[in-house]
Amino acid sequence: MSADPAEPVYRNPVLDADWSDPDVIRVGDDFYLTASSFGRVPGLPLLHSRDLVNWTLVGHALQRLEPESEFAVPRHDCGVWAPSLRHHDGRFWIFWGDPDRGVFQVNAPEIRGPWTRPHLVKAGKGLIDPCPLWDDETGEAYLVHAWAKSRSGVKNRLTGHRMHPHGTELLDEGKVIVDGDRIPGWFTLEGPKLYRHDGWFWIFAPAGGVETGWQGAFRSRAFFGPYEEKVVLEQKDTDVNGPHQGGWVRTPSGEDWFLHFQQRGAYGRVVHLQPMRWGGGGGWPVIGDDGAPVAEHRRPDLPPQPPAAPATDDDFPGGRPGRQWQWTANPRDGWATHHSADGLRLTCVRTPDAHDLRALPNVLTQRLPGTPCTVEVDLRLDDGEPGARAGLAVLGDAYSWIGLQRGPDGTVRLVHRFAETVADQERDAAPPRPAPGGRARLRVDIDAGARCRFSYDTGDTGDTANTADTGDGAGQGGFRPSGQVFAATPWRWVGALLGLVALAPTGQGHAGTATFTQFRIRIQEKRADR
């Protein structure tokens, strides 16, 4: 999933997973990117690159969501929406909109922190997608944001403010500077990114919706307008639907590039890199191939870098999950136990929602890769009470999981369950089966349509009871198929997630633990290097 620096071209997407609503900056020779994290914790992922093609995840700027009590349970479509990343006065700044509370910012002296606690810049409902600008020419600062109709009753417009140069408060009541209702054919105008270039104020802002939209550019000689507009990127005759919402960045040699997302169903919003130049038709930006997204292109004029991609595999050294993992809500003490060996030791958390993984805050998740892959993990269900269970899930509005559960007689069995989108509780996807020793290696094979085939290996060579499940017989290497094919589904704004979970029904006392080891994701169809 990384690009060979010896190749003269790269291929899109450069981030083939759900890095939603990306924004990018350059500081010296380094490029940094952040993305929406919604209700997952930690939030505000921080990615680093030296060539705009190979990216690594270096941390998160937000360790917990506030107010903590509101994010004690999953709120998958709330939290951090469409952040903007900037570097000003020797500090990194991130502004984002919480659609239920307002515009927030955090800042730090270095990309890895320490980051300040969230500061509320503008309170209100429906305030989303903020972007600041510090104008080096005048010393003034500005902020632009969009609106979410679901909270405010307002949409399709951008509001501008003067901002204190300290980035802590706004200096006026704000003014609508772009009204999408006045532009024929435009709707759902959002996601603005604010720049200064060639004597103009520029707003790069998408419209038309995440799956069907386009990228617009607006310019004015004065911040408060009036602005003129132009569509600068759209699908045209390509297979890249809704290409929009991202950021412009310039390399040290003066090349211009634009990073944006494409909505791909269960895979979420994957990130594409487009060439960009200024001066087309009256000084407007030209993105991609004359306004159409490119599938491949000459690599940026930057020093070759070794292949890299955000981490996926994990041995959980010391019982700590890698930075690629996020909880579905603010974590609590005791969910994971730190220790001296490898392996993730999760407590089987007692919950009244044991029948529905979508309601659990203690699911540890990472993004579903956008290419066909095989996901595997070893699981051991340690001593615990009847009903304690743990497993590997593909989680979205519908979900399916496979794992181990302790029965009333103390024995451990392999279970496989699922829940449809409209169902309020899960049901069996296959009959329970013996799991000698309370151990299993779990597998999900995920094809190009995000269709998931579950299988398992309990080490019991005599188990053939499941061969009628799919008609495929025993799987290779000791793995046996389980249940029917499951089609992964996204959340409302989030792609499907891979999840590790341990839980137990309500009751008294400790319900036991589950240990996960050797989490691996293997890409099944290796594309040509990007």
Side-chain angles (χ1 to χ4, degrees), residues 149 184 187 193 202 287 302 351 449 470 489 528:
K149 186 175 182 179
F187 61 96
K193 295 293 181 284
W202 290 88
I287 299 178
L302 292 163
T351 173
T470 65
T489 63

Side-chain angles (χ1 to χ4, degrees), residues 6 51 72 90 102 121 147 171 190 194 208 242 270 304 318 342 344 349 359 361-362 397 451 468 475 495 498:
D51 63 3
V121 179
W147 295 85
L171 302 180
E190 57 187 352
L194 182 58
V270 303
D342 287 353
L344 178 68
V349 176
N362 59 305
D397 278 340
R451 290 165 57 85
L498 299 171

Side-chain angles (χ1 to χ4, degrees), residues 200-322:
W200 296 87
F201 287 90
W202 290 88
I203 300 174
F204 285 33
V210 295
E211 294 185 357
T212 57
W214 58 89
Q215 179 66 39
F218 300 81
R219 70 181 182 184
S220 174
R221 291 295 185 182
F223 172 70
F224 287 105
Y227 283 83
E228 52 185 323
E229 81 283 342
K230 183 181 177 72
V231 174
V232 292
L233 183 69
E234 56 187 325
Q235 181 171 353
K236 296 191 176 181
D237 60 355
T238 74
D239 61 358
V240 181
N241 62 296
H244 67 261
Q245 190 155 339
W248 161 46
V249 68
R250 175 168 285 177
T251 69
S253 66
E255 287 186 345
D256 295 302
W257 297 86
F258 183 73
L259 282 149
H260 67 92
F261 77 71
Q262 174 200 10
Q263 172 67 36
R264 290 190 54 222
Y267 297 115
R269 301 173 182 180
V270 303
V271 178
H272 292 237
L273 176 66
Q274 302 295 335
M276 175 176 149
R277 61 182 174 85
W278 290 93
W284 291 90
V286 179
I287 299 178
D289 181 8
D290 195 25
V294 300
E296 63 179 47
H297 193 270
R298 173 190 56 81
R299 299 172 68 89
D301 180 21
L302 292 163
Q305 301 297 319
T312 56
D313 294 355
D314 206 346
D315 289 318
F316 309 105
R320 294 171 171 83

